[in-house]
Structures are given as C-alpha cells and as structure tokens.
C-alpha cells in the first residue's frame, strides 16, 4: 500500500463496498427465480426489455437481470456466479476495468454485464485477444444467451463470421461445456448478419478493420456494423496498452519495389558499430557517424548523400541500418515460407499480414535476401486508442491492470477496480534468484526445473523471446527433461498444450503468450481428480520466469498462471546481470558490486539493493513507454479529428435521400462561386474587378454564353466598380447561381435516368472525398515524420504539427469541394462510375489481409469521370 492509500484508503475497496448492497439485492431475488420453471425463467428477458421501454434504466433492472443470468447459468452451464463475479460484472457495467486474478472466471463474470446491456437492443461487442478465444467464448457462453432469448455471433479473421445456432434440443445442453467446447453450434453467416445480433464476439483487429471498411463503402447496404455502443475488452491491458502504439492500416500497393533495398542492405553490413554508426538500445535508434557518412558517399560515388540522392537515398540508408542493427531474427520477426512475419514483442505471437511501415519491412526483407514486396499506400487507418474511445461505453477485464491505472484513466477515462478473490491466494512467490551472467542463470533454471519435474510438480517456464525459448529447450533436452514448447512457431497447438500444462510432472516452455485467457487446471483438462490432488500435495503448479519483462504486469500475468481458485503454487524469477533489462537500465552500482565480489556465475544472490534495482528499472521503463504512448495519442488526436469530420461527411452523403443529393452538390457549387467571385473582386493592388477571370473560371465549371458574360459586366457597372460593393458582389453570385441551377436542371433532364443521376452525384462526391483523403493521409504521415526537427528551432513540435495540420485539413476540404464542383457538370458524359480509390487495387490489412478484385479500366480508355482525358492521365494516375 502506498502512502496515498494510507491517507485516503484503498479506492478499490471503497467501490467494492459500495457495490455490495446491489449484490445483496441479487441474493435476495435468487430464491424467487430458483422456483421458476425453465419457461418462466426464459420469459424474463422479454419482461426486462419491456421495463426498459417503459422508462426504467439498466441500473433499475440490474438486480433482476443478474439474478436471471445467475440462475440460467446454473441450469445451462452447470455454473453459479460467485459473489465476486457479480461484483466484477457491476464494475464492467459501470464502464470500468475489473482486475481479477487468473482462474477467477472472467468469462462467466462478463455474462451478467453482457446480458444486462444487450437488453437495450443496441448491441454488445466482446473483444478478445485471438480468434480461438472469440470462437470458444461465443460457442460456450452462446448456449446461455441463446437459452435466454438473445442472439450471438462471432467475427473471425479473413472475413469469416459465425452465428450461434444450436443443433441440440435446449434441454439437452451439455452441462460440462466448460471443458468440452467443440464449437459445433456456430454456423457460417454473412459479416453484416453477424453484426445485427445482440452479442458479437471478435478480436480488436476485426472490430477495427470492419469499422474502417464501413467508412470506405459506397452505400449503407454494404456496411456491416450497426454502431459502437458498448464493448467489454478481455485482457484489456494487452489490447489498450501493449497494442496501443500499433495502428490498424488498410493499404494498397504503391510503386514497384526497388533494388535499392538490396543495395543498401549490402552496404550497411560493411559498416562497423561505434566507428561508422552508433546504436541507442533505449531509444531504439541508429545513427551514422561522420566516418560512416563518408564511407557511404564513397561507396555510392556521390559527394553528399543529403543532396545527390535527396530524401529517398538518406531514407533507404537509415532504414537499412535500422533493420541490420536493431531488428533481430527470431526475436522481432521470423522468416517463414520466404516471408518476414513480425513477432509481437508483448505476447510472442506471430502477426501475419502486418508489415513495418516507411520501408522498414522491405529493408528487413533485403537483409534476409528474400523477395521484396511492394511498398503500400495507406487507404484508411486508426489506432486502437482512438477506435475504442469511439464506443459510447467501454469496460475491460484482466488479471493485471493496477500498475497501469494512471494510463487507463488519462487516455481512456477508465478507472481500475481490483476485485477480491473468491478463495484466499496461497501461492508462494519466492524472491528473485539473481546471477552474474546468462550461462549461470540458464544452468540454474534447468536444474531447478529438473528437480520440480522429478518431484511431480507441473512447471510453466516463461521466456521473453523465441530465441531464448529455443535455447532453453535445447538445454532441457540435453538434461533429459521432457517438455512441451509453446511459442509463435507452435501457436496452432496453443490451446492443446496449455490445457495439459497442469498434469503431474508436465513441463511447458512458453513465450509471453503463455495462454492468456486459458486457465491451467491442476491434473489436466478435463481434470483428473486423483492427479490434481497429487499435484496439490507437492505444492501445485510452479511458474519459473527466466527474465524480468520491461513491464511488471507482464511478469504478474505469468506469475498469475499459478495459484488459481485457492490452489497451492510456487513462482520465482531467475535474473542475470546480462539480461536486456538489467544490462540497459540497471545501475552501474549493482554491476560493480557483483564484479568486485568476483561472484561465482552459478551461485544466485538475493539482495535488497539488486531487487530494488530491478523494480526501479521496470518502473523507469513503464514510465518511459507511457510517456511515448501519451505523446503519440496527442498527435493522433489531431488526425482523429480530421477522420471524424471526413467520416461524418461520408455518412451524411450515404444517408441522404436520392432526391436531395443535388442540394448538397448545389451548396458546394455556391461556396465555390462565392470564393471565385470574392477572390477576383478583392484585389487591393488592382482596384478593377476582374470580370474576365470570373467568367473564364465559371465557364470551366459549366458553359457560360457570351451574352451571359455581358450581363456580368452590366452588374459590375451598376455596382459602380467599387472595391467593397457587397451588394454588387452578391448580385454577381446570385446571377451565376441561377445559371448554375438552370444548367444543372438541363443536364439532369438530358441524362433522363433519375437513379443514374443519384448514383453519379453520390459517386462524384464520395470519390472526391476518398481520393483526397488518401493523399491527406500520406501528407500527414510525412509531416509527422519531419516535425520533430522543429524542436531544434526552439519551437514546440506538437504546436507546429497542429498548426500545419489545420492548414492542410482546410486545404483538403477546399479541394474536395473544388473536385466535386469542377466534375459534376460532366455528368451527362458519364455512362458508368469509375471505381472508388479504395477499390481500384487489392487491399492489405496491417493485422490481416484481404484481397479485393480491382475494377478494370483500360489505361488509354477515356476516364469515366467525364473529364475528357485518358484514364491514365486522370483518375488512373
């Protein structure tokens, strides 16, 4: 407990105490619902919905809804909610984060909050960390929701989706469903249908990509989601913190890849560290020295790389050096089937489909001498931070959130509430064993694991990288210790391996993925009672951490695999002074202490100074990473406001009635004409109004006859040719707008197909938005990359970024207007619409892939927009 808790009390305990009276009400209702028949209990869903329609709130019906769910879960799943689970459900309903220890039943806890909020009819999204858990939970808990009259679905990767559709009679539901989830109740449906149900399970990636895709469609009928009302995020720390810096990106291929990547990859390998370049591991930065720059210029045969090749050459060199010096194979990425696949630094999972941006991925491909994929162009993007802040109500649950509560509140306005355990925690957490070097530490780990294995304890060993995982596997093999390996290369067998990790004498070697969302049950799964008792007798599951992670909660997550539901357990971390965390962040005082004592490499030390040093290092890194994420979200908030305006305008166009689209178009035409007239009648240096320029500009929008030009001269003359004659200027605008409306009406009459007119009008507007928005994303990316240099000029880069971004966005809006206005009067020449920019090329999802067949338009064909130019010179550029 810190000193603030001593003064003000533990906030979580106060909240839990305040919730207890509500749980007492639920308990008092239990007997009444127990006495009901199945049909009577199932009918309560309709009655609760009716109460909401009559004006009651979700808080009003909460006790009854929770009591209904608790009784239904007993009958359908054979499980009754504990008091602490109902407390956790109230916390979720209130839009907070419930921290619940491993094995406390977060999946069942969520059902009460999900059921209550689903009664509103607005839909609930349950967000999981992987497809397996989404599908498992939809099938498992779907039995409960279906029994209570609610619909359930599951969104999966690669556009696959399922809806819960039981194949068994409702009174024959398997009461051992918690151990036998075969997903047989999930039937394939369309993406759109999957989102229309009451409760949708899926990963953060899928919900995010569907949101982006819905804002790229050309009609509301193509949208899949129906709004973002309420989300419960499972493993909320993993999704909202670990992945917060990773944007979701839908991209299309840009120019062909260049052989420059291979050239620079070969050159940087010849450079010498600390002579030609420096590496800052803390900042993850590499920089060329003056000597390194001279060598590169000599090898390239140029006088100055910052002039001769422009920005492109320098960019290639920097990315090649970064790929060579900072990104390590089997730690940051793996090479699988001639493809570079990123490894998630927090979970150890492979992330197929994701690619590093700004040419870094291509630089790594060149380094590994494999085929270089084309660079991509961003079509749509959003960060998880801004995606989840779009929900009207957001909540989450995890076993480890308390250490990051400041970040959760600052960025997401989410309070963290620690839920007490149902049974007292009896796990023994041993002090860290600290070694002088890596070799001594690994030898000690192997020996300790061998001892526990022979004693009959199941052992879970956690490593922070695939490389360390495989090294330790070899050492265990050489020591004759049978074990299972779980890392990104074996992720397909993850559930199977974790399910049996609690068997007597089992040894499981895992990266940080270590089965988030899957409990390790003593005696195996399904549980063997006699074996479980034998495991308890020798001390339960042993967790061995081979290295401290940068974040304390990742260590706590691993430690929390043991000691579930009052089971015995043991945990201990083995640390060496050569570990990355200690090597980079630990104080020289600690290193000097061990060296001066000439401490044996195979002997552990338990010292308060060293232990405090580890925690201090972790807090330092956590604070540093939080600062980075907070800094990034300030920049991304600027882009987010732009996105909100653009998406709002798109939705307005999609929702407008066919006979009213022309009103939106005419507003743009009037704005453009006002701008043109104002610009050419406001020349302070030349007091004459430039009627000729007004005529020529408007004539490029729609045809203006010679006699109509004379009318402009007459209006000008009536205004006395005064610089600030507002009335005359207004008359010119009104006259031109009348001409514009007449021309527009005549054009629509010529087209003679009302539906085609609507499609073309809407198509022109959407195409202008989408084309220019994509360019705006590129420009904002370039601005963001270079804005940091303003700091050298004693200017705040964030303020500069906001100012420039405002100007760029203003220009974007003006250009959208201009493109629509200068295109719309070509409608009569358009026979069919050109493809949308986002659909002209195959799309790639950073976080998954999806191919979309591009529409075929010949490069030398006339552009369908009606400009009169060849397609390759117009929208095909």
């Amino acid at each position: 407990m810190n000193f603030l808790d001593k003064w003000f009390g533990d906030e979580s305990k106060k909240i839990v105490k305040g919730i207890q009276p509500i749980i007492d009400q639920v308990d008092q209702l239990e007997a009444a619902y127990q006495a009901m028949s199945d049909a009577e209990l199932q009918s309560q869903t309709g009655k609760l919905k009716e109460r909401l329609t009559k004006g009651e709130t979700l808080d009003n019906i909460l006790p009854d809804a929770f009591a209904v769910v608790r009784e239904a879960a007993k009958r359908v799943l054979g499980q009754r909610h504990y008091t602490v689970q109902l407390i956790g459900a109230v916390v979720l309903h209130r839009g907070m984060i419930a921290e619940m220890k491993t094995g406390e039943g977060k999946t069942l806890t969520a059902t009460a909050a999900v059921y209550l909020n689903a009664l509103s009819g607005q839909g609930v999204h349950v967000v999981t960390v992987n497809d397996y858990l989404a599908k498992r939970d939809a099938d498992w808990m779907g039995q409960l929701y279906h029994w209570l009259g609610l619909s359930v679905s599951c969104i999966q990767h690669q556009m696959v989706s399922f809806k819960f559709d039981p194949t068994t009679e409702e009174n024959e539901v398997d009461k051992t469903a918690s151990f036998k989830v075969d997903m047989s109740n999930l039937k394939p449906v369309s993406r759109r249908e999957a989102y229309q149900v009451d409760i949708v399970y899926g990963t953060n990636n899928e919900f995010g990509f569907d949101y982006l895709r819905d804002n790229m469609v050309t009609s509301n009928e193509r949208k899949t989601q129906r709004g973002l009302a309420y989300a419960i995020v499972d493993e909320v720390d993993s999704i909202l913190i670990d992945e917060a810096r990773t944007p979701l990106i839908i991209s299309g291929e840009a120019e062909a890849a260049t052989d420059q990547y291979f050239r620079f990859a070969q050159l940087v390998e010849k450079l010498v560290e600390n002579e030609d370049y420096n590496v800052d591991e803390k900042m993850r930065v590499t920089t060329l020295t003056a000597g390194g720059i001279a060598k590169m210029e000599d090898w390239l045969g140029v006088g100055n790389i910052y002039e001769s090749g422009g920005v492109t050459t320098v960019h290639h060199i920097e990315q090649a050096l970064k790929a060579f010096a900072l990104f390590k194979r089997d730690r940051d990425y793996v090479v699988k089937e001639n493809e570079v696949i990123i490894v998630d630094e927090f979970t150890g999972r492979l992330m197929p489909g994701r690619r590093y941006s700004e040419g870094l991925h291509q630089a790594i491909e060149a380094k590994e001498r494999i085929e270089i994929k084309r660079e991509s162009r961003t079509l749509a993007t959003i960060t998880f931070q801004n995606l989840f802040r779009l929900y009207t109500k957001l909540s989450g649950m995890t076993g480890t959130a308390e250490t990051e509560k400041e970040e959760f509140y600052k960025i997401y306005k989410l309070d963290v509430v620690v839920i007490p355990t149902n049974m007292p925690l009896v796990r023994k957490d041993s002090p860290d064993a600290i070694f002088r070097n890596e070799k001594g530490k690994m030898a000690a780990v192997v020996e300790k694991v061998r001892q526990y294995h022979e004693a009959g304890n199941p052992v879970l060993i956690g490593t922070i990288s695939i490389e360390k995982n495989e090294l330790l596997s070899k050492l265990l093999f050489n020591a004759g210790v049978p074990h299972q390996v779980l890392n990104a290369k074996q992720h397909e067998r993850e559930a199977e391996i974790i399910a049996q990790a609690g068997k007597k004498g089992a040894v499981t070697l895992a990266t940080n993925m270590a089965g988030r969302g899957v409990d390790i049950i003593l005696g195996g799964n399904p549980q063997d009672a006699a074996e479980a008792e034998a495991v308890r007798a020798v001390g339960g599951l042993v967790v061995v951490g081979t290295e401290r992670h940068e974040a304390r909660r990742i260590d706590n997550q691993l430690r929390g695999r043991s000691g579930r539901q009052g089971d015995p357990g043991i945990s201990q971390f083995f640390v060496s002074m050569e570990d990355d965390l200690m090597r980079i962040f630990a104080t020289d005082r600690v290193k000097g202490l061990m060296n001066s004592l000439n401490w044996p490499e195979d002997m552990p030390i338990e010292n308060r100074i060293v232990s405090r040093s580890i925690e201090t290092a972790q807090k330092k890194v956590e604070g540093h990473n939080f600062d980075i994420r907070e800094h990034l979200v300030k920049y991304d908030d600027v882009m987010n406001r732009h996105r909100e305006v653009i998406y709002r305008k798109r939705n307005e166009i999609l929702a407008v009635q066919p006979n009213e689209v022309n009103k939106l178009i005419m507003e743009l035409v009037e704005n453009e004409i006002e701008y043109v007239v104002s610009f050419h009648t406001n020349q302070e240096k030349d007091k004459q109004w430039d009627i000729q320029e007004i005529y020529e500009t408007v004539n490029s929008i729609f045809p203006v006859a010679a006699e109509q030009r004379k009318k402009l001269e007459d209006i000008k003359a009536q205004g006395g040719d005064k610089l600030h004659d507002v009335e005359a200027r207004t008359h010119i605008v009104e006259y031109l707008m009348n001409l514009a409306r007449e021309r527009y009406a005549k054009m629509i009459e010529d087209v003679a197909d009302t539906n085609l007119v609507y499609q073309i009008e809407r198509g022109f507007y959407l195409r202008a938005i989408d084309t220019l928005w994509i360019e705006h994303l590129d420009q904002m990316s370039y601005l963001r990359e270079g804005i940091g240099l303003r700091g050298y000029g004693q200017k705040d880069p964030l303020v500069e970024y906001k100012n420039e971004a405002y100007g760029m966005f203003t220009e974007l809006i003006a250009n959208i207007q201009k493109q629509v206005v200068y295109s719309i009067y070509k409608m009569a020449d358009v026979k069919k619409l050109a493809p949308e920019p986002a659909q002209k090329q195959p799309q790639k999802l950073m976080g998954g892939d999806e191919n979309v067949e591009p529409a075929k338009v010949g490069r030398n064909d006339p552009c369908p927009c009606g400009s009169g130019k060849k397609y390759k010179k117009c929208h095909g550029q």
Side-chain angles (χ1 to χ4, degrees):
M1 180 181 290
N2 61 38
F3 77 95
L4 288 177
D5 289 338
K6 291 177 182 177
W7 278 95
F8 302 107
D10 187 330
E11 190 62 30
S12 289
K13 289 181 180 177
K14 288 182 180 179
I15 294 173
V16 169
K17 186 177 179 181
I19 291 172
Q20 190 57 52
I22 299 173
I23 307 305
D24 293 340
Q25 292 180 51
V26 178
D27 290 340
Q28 291 166 10
L29 292 166
E30 186 168 21
Y33 287 112
Q34 276 180 335
M36 290 183 180
S37 66
D38 284 358
E40 288 174 324
L41 186 62
Q42 289 171 313
S43 70
Q44 298 306 306
T45 297
K47 292 179 180 179
L48 291 170
K49 286 182 177 180
E50 187 178 349
R51 286 172 61 182
L52 289 175
T53 62
K54 291 181 177 179
E56 290 193 65
T57 66
L58 291 178
D59 287 338
N60 295 146
I61 68 170
L62 186 151
D64 286 284
F66 277 27
V68 168
V69 171
R70 175 189 263 181
E71 181 59 29
K74 283 165 56 180
R75 301 186 190 188
V76 177
L77 303 175
Q79 297 180 340
R80 177 184 178 275
H81 292 73
Y82 299 129
T83 296
V84 293
Q85 290 175 319
L86 293 182
I87 291 172
V90 174
V91 168
L92 293 176
H93 163 64
R94 289 181 176 179
M96 302 163 125
I97 291 173
E99 180 181 292
M100 302 179 70
K101 301 302 179 189
T102 299
E104 290 298 301
K106 291 190 285 291
T107 306
L108 188 63
T109 295
T111 57
V114 169
Y115 174 74
L116 171 65
N117 284 270
L119 295 172
S120 69
Q122 295 179 323
V124 177
H125 292 174
V126 184
V127 188
T128 65
V129 292
N130 59 49
D131 279 343
Y132 168 78
L133 291 176
K135 207 169 181 182
R136 182 202 72 175
D137 292 352
D139 186 66
W140 182 9
M141 296 301 144
Q143 300 174 75
L144 171 61
Y145 299 129
H146 177 77
W147 196 85
L148 285 169
L150 298 177
S151 52
V152 185
S153 69
C154 170
I155 304 295
Q156 295 281 283
H157 180 46
Q158 294 182 330
M159 302 304 289
V160 180
S161 50
F162 300 90
K163 189 173 180 181
F164 185 89
D165 182 16
T167 55
T168 58
E169 292 296 324
E170 286 160 5
N171 60 356
E172 294 179 1
V173 172
D174 186 357
K175 296 296 191 296
T176 61
S178 58
F179 297 128
K180 296 181 180 178
V181 181
D182 60 8
M183 303 174 190
S184 59
N185 292 319
L186 297 174
K187 309 301 179 187
V189 293
S190 70
R191 200 79 158 186
R192 182 178 174 85
E193 185 180 350
Y195 272 112
Q196 304 310 306
V197 304
D198 297 309
I199 302 152
V200 186
Y201 284 84
T203 65
N204 47 327
N205 283 348
E206 296 309 310
F207 287 124
F209 282 131
D210 286 337
Y211 169 76
L212 291 176
R213 279 189 288 252
D214 278 356
N215 285 285
M216 297 167 67
V217 298
T218 54
S219 68
N220 278 329
E221 290 70 32
R222 291 185 173 185
K223 285 191 173 184
T224 56
Q225 294 180 342
R226 59 182 180 121
L228 305 175
Y230 176 49
I232 294 180
V233 182
D234 194 9
E235 306 296 355
V236 67
D237 58 323
S238 175
I239 292 172
L240 296 191
I241 291 182
D242 294 343
E243 297 198 44
R245 289 163 60 183
T246 306
L248 291 172
I249 299 173
I250 297 180
S251 63
E253 288 188 346
E255 307 82 24
T258 169
D259 61 0
Q260 290 286 72
Y261 289 110
F262 285 118
R263 184 184 185 191
F264 290 121
Q266 292 169 347
L267 292 179
V268 297
E269 289 175 2
K270 296 158 64 175
L271 297 174
V272 180
E273 186 175 354
N274 297 328
E275 181 182 318
D276 299 323
Y277 67 91
N278 295 318
V279 177
D280 187 332
E281 291 189 76
K282 288 185 183 181
M283 299 296 293
R284 298 277 289 170
V285 169
T286 57
T287 53
L288 283 171
T289 64
I293 292 172
K295 281 187 179 179
M296 293 300 293
E297 289 170 344
D298 181 49
W299 293 336
L300 294 170
V302 299
N304 186 335
I305 58 172
Y306 292 93
E307 291 180 3
S308 304
V311 176
T312 305
T313 300
V314 177
H315 179 70
H316 276 306
I317 294 172
E318 289 175 346
Q319 296 297 64
L321 183 58
K322 192 174 182 181
F324 172 70
L326 285 177
F327 286 78
K328 305 300 181 186
R329 184 169 178 165
D330 286 342
R331 185 190 72 183
D332 301 297
Y333 63 90
V334 298
V335 177
K336 189 175 182 182
E337 296 178 358
N338 210 34
E339 184 177 356
V340 170
I341 303 176
I342 300 173
V343 174
D344 189 308
E345 64 175 309
F346 296 103
T347 66
R349 296 180 188 278
L350 291 183
M351 299 193 290
R354 287 198 186 178
R355 291 176 66 81
Y356 295 115
S357 58
E358 301 169 18
L360 177 59
H361 209 94
Q362 288 82 2
I364 295 174
E365 288 168 334
K367 166 189 169 183
E368 296 292 342
R369 306 295 194 267
I370 62 175
E371 179 190 357
I372 295 177
K373 306 294 190 299
R374 284 193 177 192
E375 291 191 64
S376 57
R377 191 178 191 192
T378 300
L379 304 178
T381 180
I382 192 170
T383 61
F384 287 125
Q385 288 169 322
N386 280 315
L387 170 68
F388 284 105
R389 291 194 295 179
L390 291 171
Y391 280 88
T392 306
K393 183 165 75 174
L394 177 66
S395 64
M397 50 190 182
T398 180
T400 48
E402 180 72 4
T403 58
E404 314 289 348
K405 62 182 179 182
E406 180 187 0
E407 179 166 355
F408 278 123
Y409 186 77
K410 273 193 172 182
I411 294 181
Y412 303 101
K413 296 296 183 285
L414 289 172
D415 287 310
V416 175
V417 180
V418 179
I419 310 298
T421 56
N422 183 52
M423 301 283 286
L425 183 65
V426 296
R427 184 186 65 234
K428 179 186 175 184
D429 296 330
S430 301
D432 291 358
I434 302 155
F435 294 81
R436 184 177 174 185
N437 58 33
E438 177 86 358
K439 181 181 176 184
K441 179 188 75 173
M442 285 302 194
V445 168
V446 171
E447 176 57 24
K448 183 65 75 172
V449 170
R450 187 188 63 77
Q451 292 173 8
Y452 281 126
H453 167 68
E454 290 179 354
N457 293 88
V459 183
L460 174 66
I461 311 167
T463 63
I464 70 166
S465 69
I466 297 173
E467 180 184 15
K468 296 284 177 66
N469 185 273
E470 294 180 341
L471 169 63
L472 191 52
S473 178
K474 290 179 183 177
L475 295 175
L476 288 171
F477 178 81
N478 292 338
V481 180
H483 60 280
Q484 292 280 353
V485 178
L486 176 59
N487 60 38
K489 293 183 177 179
Q490 291 86 25
H491 69 280
E492 294 88 353
R493 297 181 56 227
E494 174 183 347
E496 176 191 341
I497 293 172
I498 286 293
Q500 305 310 323
K503 292 186 73 65
K504 184 177 179 180
V507 177
T508 308
L509 179 57
T511 52
N512 288 329
M513 63 200 305
R516 262 189 186 262
V518 183
D519 288 345
I520 297 177
I521 299 171
L522 300 187
N525 189 352
Q527 189 178 54
D528 181 312
E531 189 170 325
E533 196 54 45
V535 171
R536 289 191 186 95
V538 294
L541 173 68
V542 178
V543 168
V544 175
T546 60
E547 199 165 328
R548 283 288 192 172
H549 195 274
E550 288 184 353
R552 287 170 293 167
R553 61 193 169 76
I554 305 297
D555 293 340
N556 294 339
Q557 186 80 32
L558 178 62
R559 203 191 290 276
R561 299 287 110 196
S562 175
R564 63 183 295 279
Q565 284 294 332
D567 283 339
I570 302 168
S571 74
Q572 186 173 26
F573 280 84
F574 288 69
V575 180
S576 93
M577 297 309 296
E578 292 179 350
D579 292 347
D580 287 345
L581 182 72
M582 301 302 291
R583 181 172 53 81
I584 299 172
F585 293 98
T587 62
D588 293 334
R589 178 186 175 192
V590 176
K591 299 172 185 175
L593 174 68
M594 298 195 81
N595 288 331
S596 64
L597 293 174
N598 198 23
W599 199 265
E601 67 176 23
D602 59 348
M603 183 180 295
I605 184 174
E606 293 180 11
N607 181 284
R608 287 185 179 180
I609 296 176
V610 182
S611 298
R612 278 201 302 267
S613 177
I614 294 173
E615 187 169 356
T616 300
Q618 288 180 308
K619 287 180 179 178
K620 191 187 301 181
V621 179
E622 287 169 357
H624 175 66
N625 289 337
F626 173 33
D627 289 343
I628 291 174
R629 289 189 291 266
E630 188 178 28
H631 186 67
L632 286 176
V633 82
K634 288 177 181 176
Y635 279 91
D636 196 54
D637 279 344
V638 176
M639 191 70 230
N640 196 48
R641 285 193 286 274
H642 295 184
R643 185 188 302 108
E644 286 174 355
V645 173
I646 291 297
Y647 285 1
R648 193 184 307 125
K649 175 56 69 176
R650 277 190 111 264
N651 287 330
E652 180 186 347
I653 297 164
L654 293 175
V656 72
Q657 294 299 313
N659 61 345
E660 294 188 353
V661 180
N662 63 330
K663 292 181 181 178
L664 297 178
I665 302 291
M666 283 296 108
E667 283 180 15
L668 297 185
V669 172
E670 184 168 4
N671 290 339
E672 187 65 21
I673 288 176
E674 283 180 350
Y675 171 75
V676 170
V677 172
S678 175
F679 184 83
H680 291 296
T681 59
N682 245 335
Q683 305 300 313
E684 293 188 7
K685 292 182 180 178
D686 181 2
K687 302 299 183 183
Q688 297 298 313
W689 286 8
D690 198 336
I691 294 298
Q692 180 62 26
E693 281 296 331
I694 294 175
Y695 166 72
E696 290 178 358
T697 303
V698 174
N699 191 49
S700 66
I701 299 174
F702 58 84
V704 181
E707 62 270 20
Q708 292 167 334
R709 180 196 178 288
K710 186 175 183 307
K711 178 67 174 175
L712 293 176
E713 292 283 3
D714 293 342
I715 297 174
K716 169 192 166 184
Q718 293 169 8
D721 198 18
K722 294 176 183 176
L723 179 65
H724 299 294
D725 193 329
V726 177
E727 186 177 352
R729 190 180 294 120
T730 302
H731 287 165
I732 290 177
V733 172
E734 288 176 351
Y735 177 69
L736 291 174
M737 276 306 299
N738 286 332
L739 293 180
R741 292 187 189 98
E742 290 172 10
R743 177 61 188 167
Y744 199 75
K746 178 66 169 61
M747 180 180 62
I748 291 176
E749 184 181 329
D750 291 343
V751 174
D753 184 337
T754 306
N755 186 52
L756 179 60
V757 167
Y758 165 62
Q759 288 182 14
I760 294 174
E761 287 176 328
R762 189 176 67 174
F764 273 150
Y765 209 152
L766 290 176
R767 187 180 305 107
I769 290 175
D770 292 344
T771 303
L772 295 171
W773 173 243
I774 291 169
E775 292 179 5
H776 183 69
L777 290 176
D778 285 342
Q779 291 168 2
M780 289 291 288
S781 177
Y782 298 145
L783 174 64
R784 176 70 183 88
E785 287 174 25
I787 203 70
L789 297 174
R790 305 287 176 90
Y792 292 111
Q794 305 302 309
K795 295 181 178 179
D796 185 337
L798 180 59
V799 173
E800 293 292 300
Y801 179 74
K802 288 179 178 179
N803 290 339
E804 294 221 13
Y806 177 78
M808 289 166 61
F809 188 68
T810 303
E811 186 177 355
L812 168 67
I813 298 301
N815 286 339
I816 290 172
Q817 173 177 294
K818 191 177 295 290
Q819 186 158 317
V820 173
V821 171
Y822 284 77
S823 301
I824 198 66
Y825 284 91
K826 316 298 188 296
M827 185 193 302
D829 303 321
V830 177
K831 303 303 179 186
K832 65 176 182 178
L833 290 175
E836 296 301 315
Q839 297 167 348
K840 288 194 292 186
Q841 53 193 336
Q843 296 176 3
K844 282 285 185 183
L845 311 183
M846 301 303 187
D849 350 273
E850 173 198 357
N851 288 320
V852 178
E853 282 298 317
K856 304 297 183 185
V857 181
R859 288 182 55 74
N860 290 310
D861 293 344
C863 185
C865 77
S867 65
K869 300 178 182 178
K870 290 184 178 180
Y871 179 65
K872 66 182 180 182
K873 294 290 187 181
C874 190
H875 283 84
Q877 281 187 320

